[in-house]
Amino acid sequence: PVIPPKGPRWRPSRVAGRIYRTIVTRAEREQSYLHQARRILVGTRTALRHVPEHLREKCRLVTYSGVEHEVFVPPPARPGADTLRLLFVGRLIPYKGVELLLRAIEIAARRCSLMLDIVGGADPVYKDFLLRLIQELRLESTVNFLPPVPRHQLPSLYQRADVFCFPTLCDTYGIALLEAMSCGCAVLVSDVAGAGEIVNGENGLKVRLSAPDEYIREYAEKIVAPAQNH
């Protein structure tokens, strides 16, 4: 559930949007836009696999978006501590997998000392659900919610963290993931879509997207591993 949008129900922009979606849906059904295209630009190999096989010869992979490496830099040294610092940055919406992350944190916190900072905006209804889940899992002293910050303040957050968590269920890309990696932060991601391509198993840890209980257990194990070597 989300907060109902404010303003009149039938604004001109919504009428135009509905007409546009109708046209696009019809075109998608007929796949005419792909047949007529001279070139199809795709951002990930996952997107490429969604294009019908007989049209893939028209596809061109676009280079991954980059980040400002002169801004997102590793810290001179990370402060040593017994507590593993985890970080999530992004919009708090269901497909980001934050609920699964919290359940994995509850399991991992039984075996090691850790803290999770969650940074980003959220619909009040969904955030209330997450806060109630934190209480249910007794993670009040383990998880901190921080408000969205300007982009120029993000490097300091990445630099303080030990592990950046990206438990997405379907993100096509992941700019925050690239920013964290540029800051020398270890990353733990779902092996799906853009994140599964950016993290190849050598530059970070991946968790196979499977049944929820299995995914949560494996994600918890991957959290505990770096904590034991911290």
Side-chain angles (χ1 to χ4, degrees):
V2 296
I3 297 300
K6 297 179 180 179
R9 181 177 178 82
W10 294 110
R11 289 183 297 180
S13 60
R14 290 190 181 173
V15 175
R18 174 168 292 186
I19 294 172
Y20 173 76
R21 285 193 297 273
T22 301
I23 294 172
V24 170
T25 301
R26 184 177 302 166
E28 183 178 11
R29 197 161 49 235
E30 298 172 355
Q31 293 187 347
S32 60
Y33 67 106
L34 291 179
H35 287 284
Q36 296 175 14
R38 297 183 62 183
R39 285 284 182 271
I40 302 170
L41 305 181
V42 293
T44 65
R45 293 178 178 82
T46 301
L48 178 62
R49 288 195 293 270
H50 284 288
V51 177
E53 190 170 353
H54 67 281
L55 297 175
R56 291 178 190 171
E57 62 181 14
K58 296 196 293 185
C59 293
R60 298 293 183 272
L61 276 168
V62 180
T63 304
Y64 281 120
S65 176
V67 296
E68 307 94 314
H69 292 298
E70 70 279 5
V71 175
F72 294 93
V73 297
R78 295 187 185 275
D82 294 332
T83 299
L84 187 73
R85 296 200 65 90
L86 308 175
L87 175 66
F88 171 89
V89 175
R91 290 180 301 147
L92 298 180
I93 49 182
Y95 78 78
K96 293 288 186 177
V98 179
E99 176 189 349
L100 299 178
L101 173 60
L102 292 176
R103 295 187 184 280
I105 291 292
E106 190 269 334
I107 296 174
R110 304 173 197 166
R111 300 172 55 187
C112 62
S113 176
L114 54 85
M115 290 290 298
L116 170 65
D117 290 329
I118 298 178
V119 182
D123 178 89
V125 174
Y126 185 62
K127 185 173 181 179
D128 182 63
F129 162 73
L130 294 177
L131 290 172
R132 284 187 281 113
L133 179 62
I134 287 172
Q135 292 179 340
E136 177 187 322
L137 299 176
R138 299 182 179 179
L139 295 176
E140 295 94 334
S141 61
T142 303
V143 179
N144 298 315
F145 275 98
L146 303 177
V149 300
R151 195 162 186 268
H152 69 271
Q153 294 181 15
L154 286 174
S156 61
L157 291 175
Y158 296 128
Q159 291 166 353
R160 290 199 301 266
D162 297 306
V163 179
F164 180 77
C165 297
F166 197 70
T168 180
L169 305 180
C170 60
D171 261 289
T172 305
Y173 219 63
I175 296 299
L177 172 60
L178 293 173
E179 292 170 349
M181 295 173 75
S182 184
C183 287
C185 199
V187 294
L188 175 54
V189 308
S190 301
D191 189 6
V192 63
E197 295 180 26
I198 293 170
V199 178
N200 59 20
E202 297 180 358
N203 57 2
L205 298 174
K206 298 199 288 187
V207 178
R208 184 175 60 87
L209 200 59
S210 55
D213 289 345
E214 184 178 344
Y215 176 88
I216 291 167
R217 284 195 300 271
E218 186 175 350
Y219 208 101
E221 287 294 329
K222 293 289 177 69
I223 290 174
V224 171
Q228 292 175 338
N229 296 323
H230 188 50

